[in-house]
Amino acid sequence: MSKLFYIIGASGAGKDTLMNYARKQINGSENVVFAHRYITRPPFSGNENHISLTNEEFALRSKAGMFALSWGSHDKYYGIGQEINNWLNKGFNVVVNGSREYLLIAQRLYPDLKVVLITASPEIIASRLAVRGREDAEEIGKRIARTAELNTNLENCIEIQNNGTVEHAGNQLVSLISITEKQLA
């Protein structure tokens, strides 16, 4: 049976890095699809393969019901297209980069979704955010404080700690989201 994997975690925890690693490792060898997000931010910004939309384009698509999941965060809008429902119906596991704030709504819409929480120590997150260069020291401090508020006792949640190598945490994610032929039967 196919599953929707909803990846969450603080900025700097390494969600995009681990998803990119898993995507490259699987590379069409399993019935796993990584959904891109539609985001109201410029293309080629960040480490995520996304579709850039203007606020107006996003609003039009949202009004037309083109998003299975959508939310706003940090002055941006994010959407996951309705195509994920087709992929799930075809027996594929679907991996999405989700939002902690939107999780309860996502769980209501997809009661069987698997939540994957990517975590890292505050020191590692601060270091990664500093290298990324999109936030100043004050903003990084706010993000670290916000991370401490995250409830890791989420129902149906699997935690992957990403303090070590990309390969270590990435292989955990690959193992989690991969489908075997027995699971498809």
Side-chain angles (χ1 to χ4, degrees), residues 1-115:
M1 177 172 225
S2 61
K3 287 282 181 199
L4 177 61
F5 290 90
Y6 191 84
I7 312 294
I8 60 170
S11 293
K15 298 179 304 291
D16 292 329
T17 299
L18 295 183
M19 289 174 65
N20 289 336
Y21 175 87
R23 185 180 200 166
K24 288 176 185 173
Q25 295 304 304
I26 293 170
N27 194 25
S29 66
E30 305 263 353
N31 283 353
V32 177
V33 178
F34 293 82
H36 56 266
R37 295 194 295 184
Y38 299 87
I39 308 175
T40 57
R41 74 173 176 219
F44 312 113
S45 62
N47 193 24
E48 178 180 5
N49 176 22
H50 72 280
I51 305 297
S52 177
L53 298 176
T54 65
N55 286 337
E56 294 78 13
E57 289 173 310
F58 192 95
L60 176 69
R61 290 178 187 217
S62 183
K63 185 177 178 183
M66 293 182 181
F67 298 125
L69 304 167
S70 66
W71 62 92
S73 181
H74 304 290
D75 300 322
K76 306 271 186 286
Y77 294 102
Y78 300 79
I80 306 291
Q82 286 287 354
E83 61 268 21
I84 69 170
N85 296 321
N86 186 39
W87 299 335
L88 289 165
N89 289 335
K90 299 273 185 187
F92 286 81
N93 277 356
V94 177
V95 182
V96 301
N97 188 342
S99 163
R100 294 173 286 174
E101 290 82 12
Y102 190 73
L103 177 59
L104 292 177
I105 295 169
Q107 287 175 315
R108 209 171 25 241
L109 294 170
Y110 297 90
D112 294 329
L113 75 77
K114 289 284 191 190
V115 180

Side-chain angles (χ1 to χ4, degrees), residues 103 118-119 142:
L103 177 59
I118 308 297
T119 62
K142 288 179 183 176

Side-chain angles (χ1 to χ4, degrees), residues 123-142:
E123 298 79 23
I124 288 177
I125 289 174
S127 172
R128 289 176 183 160
L129 292 175
V131 167
R132 182 168 79 175
R134 289 195 311 218
E135 298 93 356
D136 63 24
E138 182 180 336
E139 291 169 328
I140 289 173
K142 288 179 183 176

